[in-house]
Amino acid sequence: MASTADFKNGLVLKMDGNQLWQILEFQHVKPGKGPAFVRTKIKNVVSGKIVDKTFNAGVKVETATVDRRDMTYLYNDGTDYVFMDAETFDQITIVPELIGEGARFLLENMTVQVSMHEGAPLQVELPVSVELVVKHTDPGLQGDRSTGGNKPATLETDAEVQVPLFINTGDTLKIDTRDGSYLSRVNN
C-alpha cells in the first residue's frame, strides 16, 4: 500500500478490480479552499488506455510489484515473439499485442526491457532508437518535392519508413521506435 505522498512517475497501482495502472504524471494540488488532492494521468498497463484520475490527499492505494528485466529478442515463431532473460537464460513467448508497433523494428539479439508482474509479461520497451540498414529504396529525384522531400524506404526488418531523398539502399539509419520516424543517417 502507498499513500498519495508516495506517488512517483512509473509507480504501478492496482485499482478497479485488480487492473494495473502506471502513473505517467502527477501533481499535488492545495487549493485555497477545501482539502488538498493529487491530480494524476495514469495508463492501463494491459490495454494502454490513458485516463486522468484525481485522488484525495493521504488516500491509500494498493501498489503492484512490477519488475523490469533486460531480455534479448531471439526470434519470431510465426505468430509470437521469443525472448531470453539475460540473467537466468529462461525463454518466454510474448504475443505481438504486448510489443505493439515497435515489433516491426525488432532485430535478433536486440536487448529490450520486459515488465513482468507475477511471472506474466505486461509490456515490452524497445530502446528509444535503433540502427537499421535500408534494404530497398527508390533513388531520390532532385526535382521531386511533391512529397515534402521524403520517400518510402524498406528496412532490414521489413518495416517501411519515410526518409529524406538523399538516403540510398545500404545506408544505416537511426530510427525512433516510438513513432517510426527517421532521425539520422549513421556514418559507418
Side-chain angles (χ1 to χ4, degrees):
M1 293 293 261
S3 76
T4 54
D6 301 323
F7 280 10
K8 61 182 181 217
N9 291 345
L11 182 68
V12 178
L13 308 174
K14 197 183 282 191
M15 305 183 317
D16 304 332
N18 284 341
Q19 289 189 28
L20 300 178
W21 296 86
Q22 182 176 25
I23 296 176
L24 300 177
E25 298 174 13
F26 70 98
Q27 178 182 19
H28 290 276
V29 179
K30 177 109 174 76
K33 244 177 158 176
F37 60 91
V38 179
R39 188 178 295 135
T40 62
K41 184 178 282 193
I42 56 177
K43 174 183 169 185
N44 187 308
V45 174
V46 177
S47 70
K49 179 180 176 184
I50 297 175
V51 297
D52 293 324
K53 184 158 177 69
T54 303
F55 296 90
N56 291 330
V59 166
K60 299 273 188 202
V61 183
E62 188 176 354
T63 59
T65 305
V66 175
D67 62 330
R68 300 177 200 283
R69 298 182 187 169
D70 284 338
M71 294 202 174
T72 304
Y73 169 62
L74 298 178
Y75 61 91
N76 182 325
D77 68 3
T79 54
D80 298 333
Y81 296 87
V82 179
F83 292 85
M84 179 179 68
D85 190 313
E87 293 177 15
T88 65
F89 303 107
D90 292 337
Q91 292 185 13
I92 62 167
T93 303
I94 298 179
V95 295
E97 292 78 31
L98 292 181
I99 303 170
E101 284 294 309
R104 60 194 186 129
F105 302 114
L106 275 175
L107 267 178
E108 290 181 3
N109 298 321
M110 178 184 284
T111 301
V112 299
Q113 270 207 336
V114 179
S115 298
M116 308 278 283
H117 174 66
E118 296 176 355
L122 296 174
Q123 68 185 43
V124 176
E125 291 179 45
L126 272 69
V128 174
S129 65
V130 292
E131 293 181 5
L132 299 170
V133 176
V134 177
K135 188 162 72 172
H136 173 75
T137 188
D138 294 329
L141 301 174
Q142 188 57 34
D144 181 14
R145 292 286 186 257
S146 63
T147 58
N150 287 336
K151 62 182 180 177
T154 305
L155 304 174
E156 61 185 305
T157 60
D158 290 329
E160 192 168 289
V161 296
Q162 291 293 318
V163 298
L165 294 174
F166 60 82
I167 299 298
N168 298 312
T169 301
D171 286 351
T172 301
L173 308 180
K174 186 178 268 191
I175 304 293
D176 188 327
T177 59
R178 297 169 294 190
D179 59 7
S181 63
Y182 162 86
L183 294 174
S184 67
R185 181 166 56 177
V186 178
N187 295 329
N188 292 337

